[in-house]
Amino acid sequence: THPPPPSGSAACNWSFLPLTTTSADLLKPLATLGSFVTPEEAAMHKDDEVVPYTCGLRKQDFAGQERAFLLFPQGQEAKASEVLRSESLPSPLALIQTKRMQINAAKAKQLLKHCAESAVLAAAGKGFCVGAEVAGPDALAKCKAALQAAGAGNAAYCSGTADAAAYEVNVYFEQWRDFAGAAVTK
């Protein structure tokens, strides 16, 4: 994050890290933590991507609130940054979690089975995507409006229904995760 914006300003105080940023650029190597870390454990933690922290560990605070799943295909990182800013997703909406990962065409079809936009589906299967979960009252409509306002309406995806969002969040964030931090699909 950056220093806080001036008082009364709607300016954003965070941004996505460059795609070339690795965890090693930000964190000490695992082996420097102590002799209890085996070489095998250190090797498993050579992740190549970094995702900003969000409300993810406090999900219970948002239980029962409407969820939206957003997916930004490769090349739409600037739109993702614009849409996920606090002024684009006003309070009481909360950014629960984000993840950047590479998915292929088969995974895109599995994830976006509720997507009617063939261009978004095709783009999602061609490289790294940024996925985000947003929670709050009327999250679906507000996220769709934020996509339209940022000019990303046809270039990014937002869940159409609460059921679709629940499915997509489960697949993207729960089923497709690993514990080494590399966000590789199974």
Side-chain angles (χ1 to χ4, degrees):
T1 62
H2 305 286
S7 180
S9 169
C12 182
N13 72 340
W14 66 273
S15 63
F16 284 109
L17 295 170
L19 293 176
T20 57
T21 303
T22 66
S23 63
D25 296 332
L26 303 173
L27 304 171
K28 293 180 181 178
L30 189 61
T32 64
L33 296 176
S35 60
F36 58 88
V37 178
T38 67
E40 293 82 16
E41 289 172 320
M44 286 180 9
H45 288 82
K46 291 185 179 177
D47 58 321
D48 62 354
E49 36 193 82
V50 178
V51 178
Y53 289 107
T54 57
C55 299
L57 297 176
R58 298 190 317 259
K59 285 186 183 182
Q60 65 275 10
D61 295 347
F62 303 95
Q65 294 188 11
E66 185 174 272
R67 305 293 173 124
F69 175 76
L70 302 171
L71 188 74
F72 300 88
Q74 187 165 326
Q76 298 299 317
E77 293 86 0
K79 296 289 184 194
S81 183
E82 185 175 341
V83 169
L84 299 176
R85 290 189 320 225
S86 60
E87 59 265 18
S88 295
L89 296 175
S91 182
L93 291 183
L95 181 61
I96 301 299
Q97 56 186 332
T98 64
K99 181 168 67 172
R100 179 183 162 265
M101 67 185 293
Q102 186 170 10
I103 58 176
N104 59 29
K107 293 286 187 182
K109 187 175 179 182
Q110 177 188 354
L111 174 66
L112 301 177
K113 70 180 188 178
H114 301 287
C115 179
E117 294 288 332
S118 58
V120 171
L121 186 59
K126 293 183 179 177
F128 282 91
C129 296
V130 173
E133 177 186 9
V134 176
D138 207 21
L140 291 167
K142 290 177 180 176
C143 286
K144 288 176 186 175
L147 287 177
Q148 291 299 327
N154 295 328
Y157 171 78
C158 178
S159 306
T161 66
D163 288 340
Y167 168 81
E168 293 149 359
V169 165
N170 178 269
V171 170
Y172 194 80
F173 292 107
E174 300 299 325
Q175 293 181 30
W176 293 352
R177 69 174 176 189
D178 68 33
F179 296 97
V184 177
T185 61
K186 297 178 183 176

